[in-house]
Amino acid sequence: MTGPTASHAARTLDAAEAWERLRRVRTEADARSAGVVRGADGRVRWRNASAEADVLADRYLPLCLAGPQVTFAQLGQSLDGFIASRTGDADYVTGEEDREHLHRMRALADAVVVGAGTAVADDPRLTVRACAGDNPVRVVLDPDGRVPLGLRVFTDGEAPTLWVVGAGGERGRVVADRDGVDVLVLPDRAAFAPRHLVRELARRGLGRVLVEGGGVTVSRFLREGALHRLYVTVAPVLLGDGVPGLAFPGPELMRDALRPPTRRVLLGEDTLFDLDLRTPQPGEPLGEEHARTRQARDEGQ
């Protein structure tokens, strides 16, 4: 075979083009059309690609294939479980490769969610900058209306922002006049329950939701069974004290601990743990029954 067709077939797919293809994948058919194949060892690869492109497919294809309705979370923490020092300094717990990973997950999300505490402490931008991709809608959960109006998510105009506030929030009407800022008023604190929030976002067309922080917010989503995947990056650093990452009422016995299927990936000196929370645990019911059972158990604690 000669000519342009042969040249195109022989061309090696690089990481940049592989990422562009992955961003559009939502189904197995999409993956096949993009050129992804599954080998005899079960690993996914491109038909003709660089090693870096294969790494991207292996790492992000499970999240891409989760479809249009998926809730996932990311935390970066020290080896002893802290996401920031005792003064709140988190700049930076994990390394550059983990920050690029976080930006890739933002690019795969329709919305990125942070709690009021993270918004106040970090004044995050929550945009995609370390890789190619569209900015997600920035969602700030603020039931008590304590987030300052001068934060970048309200003022920089870089991406749409949804401010989720409790009833009676007069400040919400002030910020709603700004370009790119919308306000969702919820009637009470019960309406801020993670599963309710996910449904509210889905009604706005925001089905792929990244819960980015902080530890309290991610822990609430995990505790209620509202997460499909959880990514935890652990850095080889010891803080001894600080702002904890995951924290929720656990079981009395080790055999009852949550042990989801997990993949491990090296990100420079850090280790990324990719936890599949959709797979039922031994002895637990399936699907929605699984989530309701966990929610009822948690609410009784």
Side-chain angles (χ1 to χ4, degrees), residues 137-153:
V137 174
R138 304 176 291 192
V139 181
V140 180
L141 306 180
D142 190 15
D144 298 320
R146 65 187 178 97
V147 176
L149 301 184
L151 295 186
R152 288 183 289 189
V153 291

Side-chain angles (χ1 to χ4, degrees), residues 113-121 124 139-143 146-147 211-214 217:
V113 175
V114 295
T118 295
V120 172
V139 181
V140 180
L141 306 180
D142 190 15
R146 65 187 178 97
V147 176
V211 185
E212 189 169 319
T217 300

